[in-house]
Amino acid sequence: MTDNDTITCERFLPHPAAAVWKALTDPDLHARWWAAGDIKPIVGHRFTLDMGGFGRQPCQVTDVDHERLLAYRFAEGSLDTTITWTLQPESDGTRLTLVHSGFDLDSPMGRQAREGMGKGWPHVLDNLATLLGQAA
């Protein structure tokens, strides 16, 4: 594995951690800002995310700390990456950090996914911010 196999995005959201957590873990809300799937904040829970033209991606929750941390393996069997969401209360909102790690930069698919998702994640976080703003 070469260096730079990780995407990190951080965003301040002027919403309480409970609201951000709900958007990350409620399947109906999750489908509105990123992808449909039966996500649940339960370690070991297996689910799929419908990534449209990229197909249904199998995932498994690996770590949960209620309203603080959610991590899951993403695209098991193909990309085999990990997505970690960290929520940190901050003044009148929440600092949300996304770390998407484990891209195999020695493979063309891994390099292409890293580049595409590196450009795509900021837009996904914009969608999340918009959804949270609508609920406020």
Side-chain angles (χ1 to χ4, degrees):
M1 188 76 62
T2 58
D3 291 334
N4 205 16
D5 70 339
T6 300
I7 299 164
T8 302
C9 296
E10 189 176 289
R11 180 78 52 97
F12 175 77
L13 299 165
H15 306 280
V20 177
W21 181 258
K22 185 173 181 181
L24 292 175
T25 61
D26 178 284
D28 293 330
L29 293 176
H30 196 276
R32 292 174 51 197
W33 64 270
W34 185 31
D38 184 30
I39 189 166
K40 293 179 185 168
I42 300 168
V43 172
H45 175 66
R46 291 186 175 278
F47 62 102
T48 59
L49 290 177
D50 185 350
M51 303 307 297
F54 296 103
R56 294 177 57 81
Q57 300 301 321
C59 303
Q60 183 176 17
V61 176
T62 58
D63 199 2
V64 174
D65 185 357
H66 185 73
E67 295 185 5
R68 295 177 190 264
L69 179 113
L70 174 67
Y72 48 88
R73 287 193 289 269
F74 175 76
E76 291 182 294
S78 57
L79 285 181
D80 290 317
T81 58
T82 299
I83 295 174
T84 304
W85 301 96
T86 305
L87 294 76
Q88 178 67 42
E90 182 179 304
S91 61
D92 58 348
T94 303
R95 174 79 44 194
L96 179 66
T97 303
L98 158 75
V99 176
H100 192 168
S101 61
F103 291 93
D104 180 1
L105 300 180
D106 294 328
S107 80
M109 182 177 70
R111 285 191 305 275
Q112 182 179 19
R114 165 63 178 85
E115 181 179 334
M117 291 179 164
K119 293 175 183 172
W121 274 120
H123 299 293
V124 171
L125 293 179
D126 288 345
N127 293 342
L128 174 59
T130 298
L131 173 77
L132 289 166
Q134 292 168 351

